[in-house]
Coordinates of all heavy atoms in Angstrom, one line a residue:
M1 N -93.5 -33.0 -68.1 CA -94.5 -32.5 -69.1 C -95.2 -31.3 -68.6 O -95.5 -30.4 -69.4 CB -95.5 -33.7 -69.3 CG -96.5 -33.4 -70.4 SD -95.6 -33.4 -71.9 CE -96.8 -34.1 -73.0
A2 N -95.6 -31.2 -67.4 CA -96.2 -30.0 -66.8 C -95.3 -28.8 -67.0 O -95.8 -27.7 -67.2 CB -96.7 -30.2 -65.4
E3 N -94.1 -29.0 -66.8 CA -93.1 -27.8 -66.8 C -93.1 -27.3 -68.3 O -93.1 -26.1 -68.5 CB -91.7 -28.3 -66.4 CG -90.7 -27.1 -66.4 CD -89.4 -27.6 -65.9 OE1 -89.3 -28.5 -65.1 OE2 -88.4 -26.9 -66.3
A4 N -93.1 -28.1 -69.3 CA -93.1 -27.7 -70.7 C -94.3 -26.9 -71.0 O -94.3 -25.9 -71.7 CB -92.9 -28.9 -71.6
S5 N -95.5 -27.4 -70.4 CA -96.7 -26.7 -70.6 C -96.7 -25.3 -70.0 O -97.2 -24.3 -70.6 CB -97.8 -27.5 -70.0 OG -98.9 -27.7 -70.9
L6 N -96.1 -25.2 -68.9 CA -96.0 -23.9 -68.2 C -95.1 -23.0 -68.9 O -95.4 -21.8 -69.1 CB -95.5 -24.2 -66.7 CG -95.4 -22.9 -65.8 CD1 -96.7 -22.3 -65.7 CD2 -94.8 -23.3 -64.5
I7 N -94.0 -23.5 -69.4 CA -93.1 -22.7 -70.2 C -93.8 -22.2 -71.5 O -93.7 -21.0 -71.8 CB -91.8 -23.4 -70.5 CG1 -91.0 -23.7 -69.3 CG2 -91.0 -22.7 -71.6 CD1 -89.8 -24.6 -69.4
Q8 N -94.5 -23.0 -72.2 CA -95.2 -22.6 -73.4 C -96.3 -21.6 -73.0 O -96.4 -20.6 -73.8 CB -95.9 -23.8 -74.0 CG -96.6 -23.4 -75.3 CD -97.2 -24.6 -76.0 OE1 -97.1 -25.7 -75.6 NE2 -97.9 -24.4 -77.1
A9 N -97.0 -21.8 -72.0 CA -98.0 -20.8 -71.6 C -97.4 -19.4 -71.3 O -97.9 -18.4 -71.6 CB -98.8 -21.3 -70.4
N10 N -96.3 -19.5 -70.6 CA -95.6 -18.2 -70.2 C -95.1 -17.5 -71.5 O -95.2 -16.3 -71.6 CB -94.4 -18.5 -69.3 CG -93.9 -17.2 -68.7 OD1 -94.6 -16.3 -68.4 ND2 -92.6 -17.1 -68.6
T11 N -94.6 -18.3 -72.4 CA -94.1 -17.7 -73.7 C -95.2 -17.1 -74.5 O -95.1 -16.0 -75.0 CB -93.4 -18.8 -74.5 OG1 -92.3 -19.3 -73.8 CG2 -92.9 -18.2 -75.8
E12 N -96.3 -17.8 -74.5 CA -97.5 -17.2 -75.2 C -98.0 -16.0 -74.5 O -98.4 -15.0 -75.2 CB -98.6 -18.3 -75.3 CG -98.3 -19.4 -76.3 CD -99.3 -20.5 -76.2 OE1 -100.4 -20.3 -75.6 OE2 -99.1 -21.5 -76.8
H13 N -98.0 -16.0 -73.2 CA -98.5 -14.8 -72.4 C -97.6 -13.6 -72.7 O -98.1 -12.5 -73.0 CB -98.5 -15.1 -70.9 CG -98.9 -14.0 -70.1 ND1 -100.2 -13.5 -70.0 CD2 -98.1 -13.2 -69.3 CE1 -100.2 -12.5 -69.2 NE2 -99.0 -12.3 -68.7
E14 N -96.3 -13.8 -72.7 CA -95.4 -12.7 -73.0 C -95.5 -12.2 -74.4 O -95.5 -11.0 -74.7 CB -93.9 -13.1 -72.8 CG -93.6 -13.3 -71.3 CD -93.9 -12.0 -70.5 OE1 -93.5 -10.9 -70.9 OE2 -94.5 -12.1 -69.4
A15 N -95.8 -13.1 -75.4 CA -96.0 -12.7 -76.8 C -97.2 -11.8 -76.9 O -97.3 -10.8 -77.6 CB -96.1 -13.9 -77.7
N16 N -98.3 -12.2 -76.2 CA -99.5 -11.5 -76.2 C -99.3 -10.1 -75.6 O -99.9 -9.1 -76.1 CB -100.7 -12.2 -75.5 CG -101.2 -13.3 -76.3 OD1 -101.1 -13.3 -77.6 ND2 -101.8 -14.3 -75.7
R17 N -98.6 -10.0 -74.5 CA -98.3 -8.8 -73.8 C -97.6 -7.8 -74.8 O -97.9 -6.6 -74.9 CB -97.5 -9.0 -72.6 CG -98.3 -9.5 -71.4 CD -97.6 -9.6 -70.2 NE -97.0 -8.2 -69.9 CZ -96.2 -8.0 -68.8 NH1 -96.0 -8.9 -68.0 NH2 -95.8 -6.8 -68.6
M18 N -96.6 -8.4 -75.5 CA -95.9 -7.6 -76.4 C -96.8 -7.1 -77.6 O -96.8 -5.9 -77.9 CB -94.7 -8.3 -77.0 CG -93.9 -7.5 -78.0 SD -92.5 -8.4 -78.7 CE -93.4 -9.5 -79.8
L19 N -97.7 -7.9 -78.1 CA -98.6 -7.6 -79.1 C -99.5 -6.4 -78.7 O -99.7 -5.4 -79.3 CB -99.4 -8.8 -79.5 CG -100.6 -8.5 -80.5 CD1 -100.1 -8.0 -81.8 CD2 -101.4 -9.8 -80.6
F20 N -100.1 -6.6 -77.5 CA -101.0 -5.5 -77.0 C -100.3 -4.2 -76.7 O -100.8 -3.2 -76.9 CB -101.7 -6.0 -75.7 CG -102.8 -7.0 -76.0 CD1 -102.6 -8.3 -75.9 CD2 -104.1 -6.5 -76.3 CE1 -103.6 -9.2 -76.2 CE2 -105.1 -7.4 -76.6 CZ -104.9 -8.7 -76.5
R21 N -99.0 -4.3 -76.2 CA -98.2 -3.1 -76.0 C -97.9 -2.4 -77.3 O -98.1 -1.1 -77.4 CB -96.9 -3.5 -75.3 CG -96.2 -2.3 -74.7 CD -95.0 -2.7 -73.8 NE -94.2 -3.8 -74.3 CZ -94.2 -5.0 -73.7 NH1 -94.9 -5.3 -72.7 NH2 -93.4 -5.9 -74.2
I22 N -97.6 -3.1 -78.3 CA -97.3 -2.5 -79.6 C -98.6 -1.9 -80.2 O -98.6 -0.7 -80.7 CB -96.7 -3.5 -80.6 CG1 -95.3 -3.9 -80.2 CG2 -96.7 -2.9 -82.0 CD1 -94.7 -5.0 -80.9
V23 N -99.7 -2.6 -80.1 CA -101.0 -2.0 -80.6 C -101.3 -0.8 -79.8 O -101.8 0.2 -80.4 CB -102.1 -3.1 -80.5 CG1 -103.5 -2.5 -80.8 CG2 -101.9 -4.2 -81.5
H24 N -101.1 -0.8 -78.6 CA -101.4 0.4 -77.7 C -100.5 1.6 -78.2 O -101.1 2.7 -78.3 CB -101.2 0.1 -76.3 CG -101.3 1.3 -75.4 ND1 -102.5 1.9 -75.1 CD2 -100.4 2.0 -74.7 CE1 -102.4 2.9 -74.3 NE2 -101.1 3.0 -74.0
E25 N -99.3 1.4 -78.4 CA -98.4 2.5 -78.8 C -98.8 3.0 -80.1 O -98.8 4.3 -80.3 CB -96.9 1.9 -78.9 CG -96.3 1.6 -77.5 CD -95.0 0.9 -77.6 OE1 -94.5 0.7 -78.7 OE2 -94.4 0.6 -76.6
I26 N -99.2 2.2 -81.1 CA -99.6 2.7 -82.4 C -101.0 3.4 -82.2 O -101.2 4.4 -82.9 CB -99.7 1.5 -83.4 CG1 -98.3 1.0 -83.7 CG2 -100.4 1.9 -84.7 CD1 -98.2 -0.2 -84.5
A27 N -101.9 2.9 -81.4 CA -103.1 3.5 -81.2 C -103.0 4.9 -80.6 O -103.7 5.8 -81.0 CB -104.0 2.7 -80.2
V28 N -102.0 5.1 -79.7 CA -101.8 6.4 -79.2 C -101.2 7.4 -80.2 O -101.6 8.5 -80.4 CB -100.8 6.3 -77.9 CG1 -100.4 7.7 -77.5 CG2 -101.5 5.6 -76.8
A29 N -100.3 6.8 -81.0 CA -99.6 7.7 -82.0 C -100.4 8.0 -83.2 O -100.3 9.0 -83.9 CB -98.3 7.0 -82.4
Y30 N -101.3 7.0 -83.6 CA -102.0 7.2 -84.9 C -103.5 7.3 -84.7 O -104.3 7.1 -85.7 CB -101.7 6.0 -85.8 CG -100.3 6.0 -86.3 CD1 -99.3 5.4 -85.6 CD2 -100.0 6.5 -87.5 CE1 -98.0 5.4 -86.1 CE2 -98.7 6.5 -88.0 CZ -97.7 6.0 -87.3 OH -96.4 6.0 -87.8
A31 N -104.0 7.6 -83.5 CA -105.5 7.7 -83.3 C -106.0 8.7 -84.3 O -105.6 9.8 -84.4 CB -105.7 8.2 -81.9
G32 N -107.1 8.3 -85.0 CA -107.7 9.2 -86.0 C -107.0 9.3 -87.4 O -107.5 10.0 -88.2
A33 N -105.9 8.6 -87.5 CA -105.1 8.7 -88.8 C -105.9 7.9 -89.9 O -106.7 7.0 -89.6 CB -103.7 8.2 -88.6
D34 N -105.5 8.1 -91.1 CA -106.1 7.4 -92.2 C -105.7 5.9 -92.1 O -104.6 5.6 -91.7 CB -105.6 7.9 -93.6 CG -106.1 9.3 -93.8 OD1 -107.2 9.7 -93.3 OD2 -105.4 10.1 -94.6
M35 N -106.6 5.1 -92.6 CA -106.3 3.6 -92.6 C -105.0 3.2 -93.2 O -104.3 2.4 -92.5 CB -107.5 2.9 -93.3 CG -108.7 2.6 -92.4 SD -108.5 1.3 -91.3 CE -108.4 -0.1 -92.4
P36 N -104.6 3.7 -94.3 CA -103.3 3.3 -94.9 C -102.1 3.6 -94.0 O -101.2 2.8 -93.9 CB -103.2 4.0 -96.2 CG -104.6 4.3 -96.6 CD -105.4 4.6 -95.3
Q37 N -102.2 4.7 -93.3 CA -101.1 5.0 -92.4 C -101.1 4.1 -91.2 O -100.0 3.6 -90.8 CB -101.3 6.5 -91.8 CG -101.1 7.5 -92.8 CD -101.3 8.9 -92.2 OE1 -102.4 9.1 -91.6 NE2 -100.4 9.8 -92.3
V38 N -102.2 3.8 -90.7 CA -102.3 2.9 -89.5 C -101.9 1.5 -89.9 O -101.1 0.8 -89.2 CB -103.7 2.9 -88.9 CG1 -103.8 1.9 -87.7 CG2 -104.2 4.3 -88.5
V39 N -102.4 1.0 -91.0 CA -102.0 -0.3 -91.5 C -100.5 -0.4 -91.7 O -99.8 -1.4 -91.3 CB -102.7 -0.7 -92.8 CG1 -102.2 -2.0 -93.5 CG2 -104.2 -0.9 -92.5
A40 N -99.9 0.6 -92.3 CA -98.4 0.6 -92.5 C -97.7 0.6 -91.2 O -96.7 -0.2 -91.1 CB -98.0 1.8 -93.4
A41 N -98.1 1.3 -90.2 CA -97.5 1.3 -88.9 C -97.6 0.0 -88.3 O -96.6 -0.5 -87.7 CB -98.1 2.4 -88.0
L42 N -98.8 -0.6 -88.3 CA -99.0 -1.9 -87.7 C -98.1 -3.0 -88.4 O -97.4 -3.8 -87.8 CB -100.4 -2.4 -87.8 CG -101.4 -1.6 -86.9 CD1 -102.8 -1.9 -87.3 CD2 -101.2 -2.0 -85.4
R43 N -98.1 -3.0 -89.8 CA -97.3 -3.9 -90.5 C -95.8 -3.8 -90.2 O -95.1 -4.8 -90.1 CB -97.5 -3.8 -92.0 CG -98.8 -4.5 -92.4 CD -98.8 -4.9 -93.9 NE -100.0 -5.7 -94.1 CZ -100.9 -5.3 -95.0 NH1 -100.8 -4.2 -95.6 NH2 -102.0 -6.1 -95.1
G44 N -95.4 -2.5 -90.0 CA -94.0 -2.3 -89.7 C -93.6 -2.8 -88.4 O -92.4 -3.2 -88.2
R45 N -94.5 -2.8 -87.4 CA -94.1 -3.2 -86.0 C -94.5 -4.6 -85.7 O -93.9 -5.2 -84.8 CB -94.8 -2.3 -85.0 CG -94.4 -0.8 -85.0 CD -93.1 -0.6 -84.3 NE -93.0 -1.0 -83.0 CZ -93.5 -0.4 -81.9 NH1 -94.0 0.8 -82.0 NH2 -93.3 -1.0 -80.7
L46 N -95.5 -5.2 -86.4 CA -96.0 -6.5 -86.1 C -95.6 -7.5 -87.2 O -96.4 -8.2 -87.7 CB -97.5 -6.5 -86.0 CG -98.1 -5.6 -84.9 CD1 -99.6 -5.5 -84.9 CD2 -97.6 -6.0 -83.5
V47 N -94.3 -7.5 -87.5 CA -93.8 -8.5 -88.5 C -93.8 -9.9 -87.9 O -93.3 -10.1 -86.8 CB -92.4 -8.1 -88.9 CG1 -91.8 -9.0 -89.8 CG2 -92.4 -6.6 -89.4
D48 N -94.3 -10.8 -88.6 CA -94.3 -12.3 -88.3 C -95.0 -12.6 -87.0 O -94.5 -13.5 -86.2 CB -92.9 -12.8 -88.3 CG -92.2 -12.7 -89.6 OD1 -92.9 -12.8 -90.6 OD2 -91.0 -12.5 -89.7
V49 N -96.1 -11.9 -86.6 CA -96.8 -12.2 -85.4 C -97.7 -13.4 -85.8 O -98.6 -13.3 -86.7 CB -97.7 -11.0 -85.0 CG1 -98.6 -11.4 -83.8 CG2 -96.8 -9.9 -84.5
P50 N -97.5 -14.5 -85.1 CA -98.4 -15.7 -85.4 C -99.8 -15.4 -85.1 O -100.2 -14.8 -84.1 CB -97.8 -16.8 -84.6 CG -97.0 -16.1 -83.5 CD -96.6 -14.8 -84.0
G51 N -100.7 -15.9 -86.0 CA -102.1 -15.7 -85.7 C -102.8 -14.4 -86.1 O -103.9 -14.2 -86.0
L52 N -102.0 -13.5 -86.6 CA -102.5 -12.2 -87.0 C -102.5 -12.1 -88.5 O -101.4 -11.9 -89.2 CB -101.6 -11.0 -86.4 CG -102.2 -9.6 -86.7 CD1 -103.6 -9.5 -86.0 CD2 -101.2 -8.6 -86.1
D53 N -103.6 -12.3 -89.1 CA -103.7 -12.3 -90.6 C -104.1 -10.9 -91.0 O -104.3 -10.0 -90.2 CB -104.7 -13.3 -91.1 CG -106.1 -13.1 -90.5 OD1 -106.4 -12.1 -89.8 OD2 -107.0 -14.0 -90.7
D54 N -104.3 -10.7 -92.3 CA -104.6 -9.4 -92.9 C -106.0 -8.9 -92.4 O -106.1 -7.7 -92.1 CB -104.6 -9.4 -94.4 CG -103.3 -9.5 -95.0 OD1 -102.3 -9.1 -94.3 OD2 -103.1 -9.9 -96.2
D55 N -106.9 -9.8 -92.2 CA -108.2 -9.3 -91.7 C -108.1 -8.8 -90.3 O -108.7 -7.8 -89.9 CB -109.3 -10.5 -91.8 CG -109.7 -10.8 -93.2 OD1 -109.6 -9.9 -94.0 OD2 -110.1 -12.0 -93.4
G56 N -107.4 -9.5 -89.5 CA -107.2 -9.1 -88.1 C -106.4 -7.8 -88.0 O -106.8 -6.9 -87.2
L57 N -105.5 -7.6 -88.8 CA -104.7 -6.4 -88.9 C -105.6 -5.2 -89.3 O -105.6 -4.1 -88.8 CB -103.5 -6.5 -89.8 CG -102.5 -5.4 -89.8 CD1 -101.2 -5.9 -89.1 CD2 -102.3 -4.9 -91.2
R58 N -106.4 -5.5 -90.3 CA -107.4 -4.5 -90.8 C -108.4 -4.1 -89.7 O -108.7 -2.9 -89.6 CB -108.1 -5.0 -92.1 CG -108.7 -3.9 -92.9 CD -109.2 -4.4 -94.3 NE -109.2 -5.8 -94.6 CZ -108.3 -6.5 -95.2 NH1 -107.2 -6.0 -95.6 NH2 -108.5 -7.8 -95.4
R59 N -108.9 -5.0 -89.0 CA -109.8 -4.7 -87.9 C -109.2 -3.8 -86.8 O -109.8 -2.9 -86.4 CB -110.4 -6.0 -87.3 CG -111.5 -6.7 -88.2 CD -112.2 -7.8 -87.4 NE -111.3 -8.9 -87.0 CZ -111.1 -9.9 -87.8 NH1 -111.6 -10.0 -89.0 NH2 -110.3 -10.9 -87.3
I60 N -108.0 -4.2 -86.5 CA -107.2 -3.4 -85.5 C -107.0 -2.0 -86.1 O -107.3 -1.0 -85.4 CB -105.9 -4.0 -85.2 CG1 -106.1 -5.3 -84.4 CG2 -105.0 -3.1 -84.3 CD1 -104.9 -6.2 -84.2
A61 N -106.6 -1.8 -87.3 CA -106.4 -0.5 -87.9 C -107.7 0.3 -88.0 O -107.6 1.5 -87.8 CB -105.8 -0.7 -89.3
E62 N -108.8 -0.3 -88.3 CA -110.1 0.4 -88.3 C -110.4 1.0 -87.0 O -110.8 2.2 -86.9 CB -111.2 -0.5 -88.7 CG -111.2 -0.9 -90.2 CD -112.2 -2.0 -90.6 OE1 -112.9 -2.6 -89.7 OE2 -112.3 -2.3 -91.8
E63 N -110.2 0.2 -85.9 CA -110.4 0.8 -84.6 C -109.5 2.0 -84.3 O -110.0 3.0 -83.8 CB -110.2 -0.3 -83.5 CG -111.2 -1.5 -83.5 CD -112.6 -1.0 -83.0 OE1 -112.6 -0.3 -82.0 OE2 -113.6 -1.4 -83.7
I64 N -108.3 1.9 -84.6 CA -107.3 2.9 -84.3 C -107.7 4.2 -85.2 O -107.6 5.3 -84.7 CB -105.9 2.5 -84.6 CG1 -105.5 1.4 -83.6 CG2 -104.9 3.6 -84.5 CD1 -104.2 0.7 -83.8
S65 N -108.1 3.9 -86.4 CA -108.4 5.1 -87.3 C -109.6 5.9 -86.9 O -109.7 7.0 -87.3 CB -108.5 4.6 -88.8 OG -109.7 3.9 -88.9
V66 N -110.4 5.3 -86.1 CA -111.6 6.1 -85.5 C -111.3 6.5 -84.1 O -112.2 7.0 -83.4 CB -112.9 5.3 -85.6 CG1 -113.3 5.0 -87.1 CG2 -112.9 4.0 -84.8
G67 N -110.1 6.4 -83.7 CA -109.7 6.9 -82.4 C -109.8 6.0 -81.2 O -109.6 6.4 -80.1
R68 N -110.1 4.7 -81.4 CA -110.2 3.7 -80.3 C -108.9 3.0 -80.2 O -108.1 2.8 -81.1 CB -111.3 2.7 -80.6 CG -112.6 3.3 -80.7 CD -113.7 2.2 -80.8 NE -115.0 2.8 -81.2 CZ -115.5 2.5 -82.3 NH1 -115.0 1.7 -83.2 NH2 -116.7 3.1 -82.6
D69 N -108.7 2.5 -78.9 CA -107.5 1.7 -78.6 C -107.9 0.3 -78.4 O -108.4 0.0 -77.3 CB -106.8 2.3 -77.4 CG -105.5 1.5 -77.0 OD1 -105.2 0.5 -77.7 OD2 -104.8 2.0 -76.1
P70 N -107.8 -0.6 -79.4 CA -108.3 -1.9 -79.3 C -107.4 -2.8 -78.3 O -107.8 -3.9 -78.1 CB -108.2 -2.5 -80.7 CG -107.2 -1.7 -81.4 CD -107.2 -0.3 -80.7
S71 N -106.3 -2.3 -77.8 CA -105.4 -3.1 -77.0 C -106.1 -3.3 -75.6 O -105.7 -4.2 -74.9 CB -104.1 -2.4 -76.8 OG -104.2 -1.3 -76.0
G72 N -106.9 -2.4 -75.2 CA -107.5 -2.5 -73.8 C -106.6 -1.9 -72.8 O -106.9 -2.0 -71.6
L73 N -105.4 -1.4 -73.2 CA -104.5 -0.9 -72.2 C -104.8 0.6 -71.9 O -105.4 1.3 -72.6 CB -103.0 -1.0 -72.7 CG -102.6 -2.4 -72.9 CD1 -101.1 -2.4 -73.5 CD2 -102.6 -3.2 -71.7

């Protein structure tokens, strides 16, 4: 049972790392861009990310559109 928990935690950790890496790449490429451009870029790269709804995507895009990198990287 502990091994399954560890595997699940590792899988979630890797998924989060990938999410943050993609957000960082988009933040670098689209810093200061218009919201529709940022949203389109995020939607194109973050297909089927569990737990990321439209509101979350919009908040991330807002940060990027004003030149911030919400990934923390």
Side-chain angles (χ1 to χ4, degrees):
M1 188 67 144
E3 185 176 332
S5 232
L6 184 60
I7 290 170
Q8 181 180 359
N10 190 42
T11 301
E12 288 173 9
H13 177 74
E14 287 304 314
N16 284 334
R17 284 184 56 179
M18 183 180 72
L19 171 65
F20 283 97
R21 190 170 46 249
I22 291 170
V23 168
H24 174 70
E25 290 170 4
I26 292 172
V28 169
Y30 289 87
D34 293 334
M35 277 282 292
Q37 290 177 308
V38 179
V39 169
L42 288 167
R43 282 206 172 115
R45 295 280 308 274
L46 299 176
V47 178
D48 297 328
V49 173
L52 185 62
D53 59 7
D54 285 339
D55 289 334
L57 190 110
R58 200 171 11 264
R59 283 192 296 272
I60 292 168
E62 287 171 355
E63 291 289 314
I64 294 171
S65 71
V66 296
R68 295 189 195 112
D69 182 353
S71 72
L73 299 179

